[in-house]
Amino acid sequence: MDRIHPTAVVDRRAELAENVTIAEYAVIRGRVIIGEGTLVREHTVIHGPTRIGRGCTLGPAAYLGLDPQHLKFKASDAEPTWLVIGDNVTVRETASIHRALYPGEERATRLGNGCFIMGGVHIGHDCVLADEVIMANAVLLGGHCQIGSKAFLGGGCTGHQFSRIGRLAMIGGNEPFAKDIPPFGALWDGRLKGYNAVGCRRAGISREAIRAIRSAYQSLQTYPTVSAAVAAIRAESPDVPEVREILAFIAESKRGIATARDRRGGGGDDEPNSD
């Protein structure tokens, strides 16, 4: 049975699965679809169209599915924009996650399964988070960012719009990033300090693959340009799936890759990596 507190406001267009709990003073407006066992805590506001999975905990006072903060956004009932949240996602107090700028559920702002979004986080329009991303308090993501699975973003870090973070990458607290962070990378003090050794071990990556990742990051730290580092990785690092993943990510980068000698996430495809 649905469990809705009498002080909550729930739109007639909302679709609530079994055992959904809506706590005191929560507001659900528009087409909001909520999966089984999800808890919407007190003072949380959810606007639709938004689709939320099973077993989520949202709030208190979280803000989900509000209009994107973009001057070109025009609300349209005929062409609505979406937020889609997976299963077993936690969104803590005062976090805000906005719907996409462009219409269609397939173009939604999207969070994968098992994400943990701590207090005060902002996830802008059209961002896509893969599964099990952790974002510590007060992380700010501009629009269109892409975050790979099991990435960890330290408290207070800020992401420029269209930035990408690869799988199992780690961003230090209070770090701004404007360039892409390759899979397994670790950003600290504006520089790609190496690979996320602890995260790789915890994820069960084999010793052979970890050695290959270490070799690839040594090349990224040693060579003066990204293109030279890529050539060295192809020539010197073992050909394992994790290294291919790093190379594919770099090849797809449009903003350029943060490198070992960067300041505040700078450095481009063929920029010298000197201070």
Side-chain angles (χ1 to χ4, degrees), residues 68 70 72-74 76 79-83 99-109 125-127 143-144 162:
H70 197 291
K72 293 183 179 180
F73 175 71
K74 303 294 182 184
S76 170
E79 294 186 307
T81 70
W82 282 78
L83 167 64
R99 298 195 323 277
L101 177 61
Y102 303 108
E105 188 172 355
E106 71 282 0
R107 304 177 78 179
T109 302
H125 59 86
D126 301 283
C127 288
H144 306 279
F162 292 98

Side-chain angles (χ1 to χ4, degrees), residues 183 229-231 233-234 242-252:
V230 166
I233 293 169
R234 295 187 185 280
E242 290 79 4
V243 170
R244 292 195 293 271
E245 183 178 349
I246 293 169
L247 292 171
F249 183 95
I250 293 172
E252 294 166 3

Side-chain angles (χ1 to χ4, degrees), residues 45-143:
V45 176
I46 307 176
H47 287 190
T50 292
R51 184 184 300 276
I52 298 167
R54 301 183 300 254
C56 297
T57 300
L58 310 173
Y63 297 88
L64 309 177
L66 276 64
D67 290 349
Q69 296 177 149
H70 197 291
L71 293 175
K72 293 183 179 180
F73 175 71
K74 303 294 182 184
S76 170
D77 291 338
E79 294 186 307
T81 70
W82 282 78
L83 167 64
V84 176
I85 294 176
D87 299 335
N88 302 309
V89 171
T90 297
V91 180
R92 290 294 299 267
E93 56 273 15
T94 73
S96 58
I97 308 173
H98 289 171
R99 298 195 323 277
L101 177 61
Y102 303 108
E105 188 172 355
E106 71 282 0
R107 304 177 78 179
T109 302
R110 191 175 299 271
L111 275 67
N113 298 330
C115 292
F116 194 101
I117 310 301
M118 300 186 197
V121 168
H122 173 67
I123 299 174
H125 59 86
D126 301 283
C127 288
V128 176
L129 278 62
D131 294 344
E132 299 182 58
V133 171
I134 298 175
M135 298 175 64
N137 294 69
V139 172
L140 305 176
L141 288 186

Side-chain angles (χ1 to χ4, degrees), residues 27 76 124 159 163 187 244 248 256:
V27 176
S76 170
S163 296
L187 187 76
R244 292 195 293 271

Side-chain angles (χ1 to χ4, degrees), residues 149-191:
S149 63
K150 296 185 177 181
F152 176 84
L153 281 66
C157 72
T158 56
H160 193 283
Q161 60 263 35
F162 292 98
S163 296
R164 299 187 306 147
I165 296 176
R167 179 169 72 98
L168 276 168
M170 181 179 68
I171 311 299
N174 296 317
E175 287 291 319
F177 56 94
K179 300 291 185 179
D180 295 345
I181 315 301
F184 321 111
L187 187 76
W188 183 259
D189 193 27
R191 302 166 182 239

Side-chain angles (χ1 to χ4, degrees), residues 9-16 27-34 45-51 64-65 77 82 99:
V9 178
V10 179
D11 197 300
R12 292 181 180 180
R13 291 170 289 179
E15 302 175 26
L16 309 183
V27 176
I28 297 177
R29 196 176 305 280
R31 188 186 179 196
V32 177
I33 304 159
I34 302 180
V45 176
I46 307 176
H47 287 190
T50 292
R51 184 184 300 276
L64 309 177
D77 291 338
W82 282 78
R99 298 195 323 277

